[in-house]
Amino acid sequence: MSDKATLNVEGKSYEFDVFTGSENEKCIDTQNLRAETGYITMDPGFGNTGSCYSSITYVDGAKGILRYRGYPIEELAEKAIFIETAYLVLYGELPNKEQLKSFSDRLKEHAPLHTNLEHHFSGFPKSAPPMAILSAMLNLISCFHPEVLEVPTTGEQFDRTASLLLSKVRTIAAFAYRMAAGKPINHPNPNLTYCGNFLHMMFSDPYQEYKVTPIIDKALNLFLILHADHEQNCSTSTVRVVGSSRANLFSSVAAGVCALWGPLHGGANAAVITMLEDIKKSGRPLTYYLEKAKDKDDPFRLMGFGHRVYKNFDPRSLILKKRVHDVLEALKVQDSLLDIALELEDATLSDDYFVSRNLYPNVDFYSGILLRAIGIPLNMYTVMFAIGRMPGWIANWKEMHDHNLRISRPRQIYTGKTTRHFIPMAER
Ligand code: ACO
């Protein structure tokens, strides 16, 4: 097999290296294209552009495969807990018992926030979206831990910084919710698990301590595991782009939170629930919504449908669809939104518009129903996604540094006016 690709342009022939990844994915290395030919590639939205070589996560969109460090998502969802998955994504191997214990101890140590940082929460208006608070507070943490600004990507200081971030993101999220709800904050309890502690900080009240049930603990672990990484998606690419200027890890993930917020990315999990509620309230037939989604003059899209990479099925959605049933059954909860979601999925499967464009439910379609079942309020859904995605963001930021990547700086083709000369005000 040839290990070169040939490009013929303007009567000249150029050769470029071909690289094959460990799962037989292929690329043409065009790093020298502009220098050699004067041409650039044009790929708005980066549908065909590889930005890095990575050994963290593998996705095969045609076959519906997702693996973290080689481990299938189905196995991790069934057998792992979130913090061992986070360890795997960060360090490349599943932790042994001692490694998991010391990782868990570090997470416990870093759970509290600096008291002065706590005061900042009261400065936000009650209506502040928790994603805005999360991004602002993640950036702010670095002011209280100046040592993290110069974080190395290996060794004890990296371990410390990664655990600090993984742990504090959960405390910030819970505090943001409590403050906005006008409720007193709950400090972290070192005797609880990662998920249990989060639920305690969210839901304990001075008169009643929240009791974490195994069903809910497991459901939250599952949600976070399914979101732990997803290679070069919009928010992870943002973290890499920001980090490529050698911005610190905290600013980089704060930017990742902002990218995640949009409804075409992580914000879709809340948008799905809003859409399903609207369908329920309106009493209109599903065909009304399908037609709206197909109408190119209408900005409405079926939220939770479609994916840039998955063109068959999103394995996370299949896992969630099944587990959501189990969780609702175990909690003895009936949710009419699940029935509407199932009907909607069915309707799209026999509709040529969706079938021909490979539009299937993505991770966000059923995840909101799981979060509802465990009592998470709607304005926190995308924050939950951010907590889950933190290991992936940190691992990608680290890998980008380890590979010493150049600053991200795409090119463009200019289509504006050619040179013209300044016109004095009186002549305009
Ligand atoms: N509803 C209706 N039509 C859709 C939808 C949808 N949800 N998604 C894509 N399409 C149509 C597009 O209009 C386009 O049609 P056309 O070929 O006739 O012009 C075709 O399908 C291809 O869509 P693109 O927008 O080019 O696909 P892209 O890969 O750029 O976008 C995205 C992917 C953003 C996920 C898109 O499918 C979408 O907007 N989905 C709804 C929002 C959503 O669920 N986002 C979460 C994604 S998962 C995640 O980020 C965690």
Side-chain angles (χ1 to χ4, degrees):
M1 193 203 306
S2 160
D3 56 358
K4 297 276 180 204
T6 308
L7 173 73
N8 293 313
V9 62
E10 293 179 4
K12 281 194 188 155
S13 182
Y14 303 88
E15 284 203 325
F16 296 94
D17 287 340
V18 168
F19 184 84
T20 304
S22 53
E23 291 283 355
N24 214 26
E25 292 174 294
K26 295 182 192 323
C27 74
I28 301 168
D29 187 331
T30 57
Q31 287 183 73
N32 296 326
L33 177 72
R34 188 172 176 280
E36 289 184 23
T37 67
Y39 280 71
I40 62 166
T41 54
M42 180 53 71
D43 183 20
F46 309 131
N48 301 292
T49 298
S51 59
C52 60
Y53 296 99
S54 179
S55 57
I56 303 168
T57 288
Y58 174 64
V59 176
D60 181 329
K63 295 188 186 141
I65 293 173
L66 167 61
R67 298 185 200 127
Y68 301 156
R69 304 286 191 181
Y71 291 96
I73 192 65
E74 292 78 7
E75 287 182 30
L76 294 167
E78 183 67 32
K79 298 176 181 158
I81 58 169
F82 175 61
I83 62 165
E84 70 185 329
T85 306
Y87 186 101
L88 170 71
V89 169
L90 280 177
Y91 296 107
E93 296 296 337
L94 285 168
N96 63 28
K97 223 170 165 183
E98 289 75 42
Q99 287 166 329
L100 186 62
K101 161 100 178 54
S102 74
F103 187 50
S104 166
D105 287 347
R106 278 204 305 273
L107 294 174
K108 286 178 180 169
E109 179 196 335
H110 293 300
L113 299 184
H114 192 289
T115 315
N116 292 350
L117 191 65
E118 278 177 22
H119 297 322
H120 284 270
F121 285 94
S122 49
F124 291 102
K126 274 196 85 175
S127 57
M131 284 297 271
I133 300 178
L134 184 66
S135 176
M137 296 304 266
L138 284 171
N139 228 334
L140 201 55
I141 297 179
S142 60
C143 309
F144 292 85
H145 300 274
E147 74 283 1
V148 304
L149 294 175
E150 292 302 324
V151 64
T153 61
T154 53
E156 260 177 45
Q157 199 179 326
F158 172 74
D159 296 346
R160 189 175 175 281
T161 308
S163 336
L164 189 147
L165 198 41
L166 276 172
S167 190
K168 291 203 194 303
V169 66
R170 169 191 58 157
T171 312
I172 293 171
F175 283 16
Y177 162 68
R178 299 288 297 180
M179 288 288 192
K183 297 178 177 193
I185 54 172
N186 294 309
H187 288 282
N189 175 348
N191 300 318
L192 296 173
T193 60
Y194 185 91
C195 289
N197 212 346
F198 173 70
L199 292 164
H200 150 71
M201 288 190 276
M202 286 283 291
F203 300 126
S204 281
D205 279 313
Y207 52 90
Q208 193 166 27
E209 200 174 301
Y210 180 84
K211 288 269 171 288
V212 185
T213 65
I215 301 164
I216 291 185
D217 188 62
K218 207 168 166 211
L220 185 52
N221 269 286
L222 172 74
F223 175 90
L224 297 176
I225 289 168
L226 294 181
H227 290 80
D229 192 39
H230 208 246
E231 51 118 302
Q232 304 313 315
N233 56 82
C234 177
S235 55
T236 304
S237 297
T238 301
V239 170
R240 279 183 176 255
V241 168
V242 174
S244 77
S245 74
R246 303 300 179 255
N248 72 74
L249 177 59
F250 290 76
S251 321
S252 306
V253 299
V257 168
C258 296
L260 185 72
W261 194 354
L264 298 191
H265 190 16
N269 62 7
V272 168
I273 296 298
T274 307
M275 175 185 77
L276 295 174
E277 274 172 343
D278 188 57
I279 294 175
K280 182 178 164 183
K281 246 187 270 152
S282 78
R284 288 192 176 108
L286 291 181
T287 46
Y288 170 83
Y289 291 91
L290 296 185
E291 292 311 313
K292 235 171 121 54
K294 294 189 232 175
D295 181 355
K296 295 293 170 208
D297 296 325
D298 190 325
F300 176 78
R301 284 188 162 199
L302 273 197
M303 299 314 285
F305 273 80
H307 198 275
R308 173 61 63 79
V309 182
Y310 293 120
K311 295 300 174 197
N312 192 341
F313 63 93
D314 178 338
R316 303 166 299 177
S317 168
L318 289 193
I319 295 169
L320 277 166
K321 185 177 173 182
K322 180 178 178 312
R323 292 286 282 274
V324 113
H325 277 290
D326 300 345
V327 171
L328 291 186
E329 205 175 289
L331 293 174
K332 301 189 178 22
V333 170
Q334 291 256 336
D335 190 345
S336 56
L337 295 195
L338 177 59
D339 301 328
I340 297 173
L342 292 167
E343 273 180 54
L344 194 57
E345 183 184 350
D346 264 0
T348 59
L349 290 176
S350 53
D351 188 310
D352 184 58
Y353 175 93
F354 293 93
V355 175
S356 64
R357 288 170 179 75
N358 303 307
L359 300 172
Y360 300 104
N362 58 49
V363 65
D364 294 318
F365 193 60
Y366 289 107
S367 67
I369 297 175
L370 186 81
L371 293 176
R372 256 162 86 87
I374 61 183
I376 305 290
L378 186 64
N379 67 350
M380 290 292 289
Y381 285 13
T382 314
V383 170
M384 301 302 296
F385 192 147
I387 299 174
R389 185 53 54 85
M390 195 53 78
W393 287 338
I394 302 172
N396 273 276
W397 185 92
K398 171 177 160 50
E399 189 177 70
M400 185 218 33
H401 275 269
D402 290 346
H403 292 182
N404 200 18
L405 289 192
R406 297 170 78 195
I407 190 166
S408 293
R409 202 324 185 166
R411 294 275 180 166
Q412 64 163 26
I413 295 293
Y414 176 68
T415 58
K417 304 264 190 240
T418 53
T419 314
R420 48 188 180 157
H421 297 288
F422 184 80
I423 305 166
M425 183 64 80
E427 293 171 30
R428 278 181 235 162

